[in-house]
Each structure stands twice: as C-alpha cells, then as structure tokens.
Amino acid sequence: MKPRIPSILFASVLFFYEAKSQIDSSETKKDLVQFKIGTFYNSHLNYYGRTDSLRSSGVFPVAELWINETFYLSASPVFVNNASVSFDYAGTVATAGFQFMSDDKKWLTNIYGLKPFYEKGTQLVQSALKGQLAFSLSRFNKIINITGGADVKLSDKVDYGLTAGLDHIYRKQFADKSVLVVDPSAYVFAGTQQFTNTYYKQSNFLLFPGVQQQVSESVKNFNILSYEFSVPVVYAKGKLQVLLTPAYVIPQNLVQVEGRPDLSERAKNMFYATLGAKLTF
C-alpha cells in the first residue's frame, strides 16, 4: 500500500503569508470585488519535506477572485519539471475560503477548503489527496505573532493535522508608497499517518509446526511531520506584489516499509525557495 502523505498545499501557504502582509500594506477598499493573477516558482516541491524520487520543481499560475476582503476563490494549475519531464501539467488545485480580521487588528482567522484535480498517474507526493479542510488563527503583537491551526485531509482515508508557528513582521514603507515586508517564521507540523503494516505470523498446534500466515493491520500514528524555518519577503507597490520565500525544512517520522523502498517515504533536510509575483485588477 502506498503511504498517505498529509500535506499543506503550496497555494495555501502562499495565501497565508500574503494575508499577513496585507494587514500592513493593503490600500484596497472594503467590499470591493478584486481579481488577482500571478505566477510562482518552487525550486523543490515538497510536502512536510517529503519529495518524489526526481526532486521535482514546479510552476504555479494562480487566479484569485475576492468577493470582498473576507471571501475568496482561487484556482492554481500545477506544472512539474524534473529530469524526465519539462513543464508537465500535473493538475489543478481549487480553493474557497474566508478570512476574518478583528477590529483591533490583533486576530486573523482563515478558514478554507480545497479540492485537487490531479492527472491520473501523476508522480507528485500529494496526489493521493482528494480534499482538505483547514482552519488557522493568528494573534498579532509587537513582539511575536503566534499561529495555531488544524486540518482534515481526505484521501481513501481521513488524516488530521495540527500546526503551530511563531513569526515577527518587519515592515518598511518608502516615499513612493511601496512597502517591504520581511517575516521570519518558524513552524512545526504534526498529523496522523495512515498506512498498512504487513508481517508474518507462525501458527502452531500443540507440538506440530504450523504454517506462516501473512497478516496486515492498519496503523494510525499521530506524529510530528516536520519543522520548517522560512523568511517570506513581500514587496508591494500599487497593484503589484513580488514574493520571495527561502525556507529550510526538517522532515520527521518518515513512514518506512521494510524491503520496499518504493513504498517508503523519501525525504531529507533541505533548503528550497519560492519566487513569484501577483497583480491585482
């Protein structure tokens, strides 16, 4: 059985970082319908540090529709590059969500659901994911911001995840009204890992030797999945935003199937980066 890999999709991570920068830099009006388009590049596609065997990179065009400052819809096609394929279409991720900022600007709540539409046979680690529901709550102050979250991931089974993080926003506004935001962050991700454990059991009767039987049992573990340290940088001027996020991920508690490396999770500590731009209409 192929391991089920809990994941937070790349588009959702981008939105979370962008939402925090908008707290400081947005000049948009409330209840104004907005359309945003952008493109992002990820140097090493990974999900809690788990990767495919080819260490793929990815390109993500993004289209967003904001009904107001609270409700949004987005769609993001995924194109994969590696030693075997170049700019290969892997599928599209659709997201719908709500974002709430408290009147005192100290609490940010984000609730979203996403539905992936992956191509049959795609080699992306997260391709088993059929849907995800997630919730996060952030508390802002001048010293350090605290974020907690939970999610439910749907495949042929159901996995549950928890997120906790700390960050601090540095903001600089220039004379031309452009804004630079730097947000050093540290996060820990935890969740269940459902897989099948297969072993052989010897059955005996009195003094007579029995036979070996193959036994499979379902295992559901809740573990820390990864630690991640990143420094999102957002530059915003007018309707344009440019984002760069260098990150270092430390995967934990990999699922390993003895004698079957093809069914085992692949991961290692690694640096990766996300670079992109977004334009508002």
Side-chain angles (χ1 to χ4, degrees), residues 82-177:
N82 54 45
S84 298
V85 297
S86 178
F87 209 68
D88 184 57
Y89 174 69
T92 297
V93 179
T95 306
F98 292 88
Q99 171 189 293
F100 304 94
M101 173 60 67
S102 63
D103 292 337
D104 59 6
K105 305 297 182 182
K106 293 183 178 180
W107 295 92
L108 174 67
T109 302
N110 188 28
I111 303 171
Y112 68 87
L114 61 85
K115 172 63 179 175
F117 299 91
Y118 291 117
E119 292 287 281
K120 184 177 180 180
T122 181
Q123 297 300 307
L124 289 178
V125 173
Q126 81 282 12
S127 61
L129 188 68
K130 297 178 180 179
Q132 182 177 358
L133 299 174
F135 164 86
S136 68
L137 179 65
S138 299
R139 175 67 165 86
F140 299 95
N141 60 67
K142 294 181 179 180
I143 301 175
I144 196 164
N145 305 320
I146 302 173
T147 296
D151 64 82
V152 179
K153 306 173 188 71
L154 309 174
S155 57
D156 59 343
K157 294 186 177 181
V158 179
D159 279 296
Y160 302 93
L162 293 176
T163 303
L166 302 173
D167 71 277
H168 181 83
I169 294 175
Y170 297 93
R171 178 181 180 274
K172 173 66 175 180
Q173 184 164 348
F174 302 100
D176 61 357
K177 295 185 178 181

Side-chain angles (χ1 to χ4, degrees), residues 47-96:
Y47 299 87
Y48 301 126
R50 281 76 172 163
T51 66
D52 59 36
S53 60
L54 298 174
R55 298 291 298 276
S56 301
S57 62
V59 177
F60 302 80
V62 177
E64 298 178 5
L65 177 64
W66 287 77
I67 307 303
N68 49 43
E69 66 174 10
T70 299
F71 177 64
Y72 61 93
L73 301 168
S74 71
S76 179
V78 181
F79 296 91
V80 175
N81 294 287
N82 54 45
S84 298
V85 297
S86 178
F87 209 68
D88 184 57
Y89 174 69
T92 297
V93 179
T95 306

Side-chain angles (χ1 to χ4, degrees), residues 35-48:
F35 182 66
K36 303 180 182 183
I37 59 172
T39 301
F40 296 90
Y41 168 78
N42 184 283
S43 62
H44 290 94
L45 295 177
N46 75 91
Y47 299 87
Y48 301 126

Side-chain angles (χ1 to χ4, degrees), residues 217-237:
E217 61 180 5
S218 180
V219 181
K220 186 174 183 179
N221 293 335
F222 190 95
N223 291 311
I224 292 176
L225 301 177
S226 70
Y227 302 100
E228 184 162 307
F229 305 91
S230 62
V231 187
V233 179
V234 179
Y235 176 77
K237 183 175 182 181

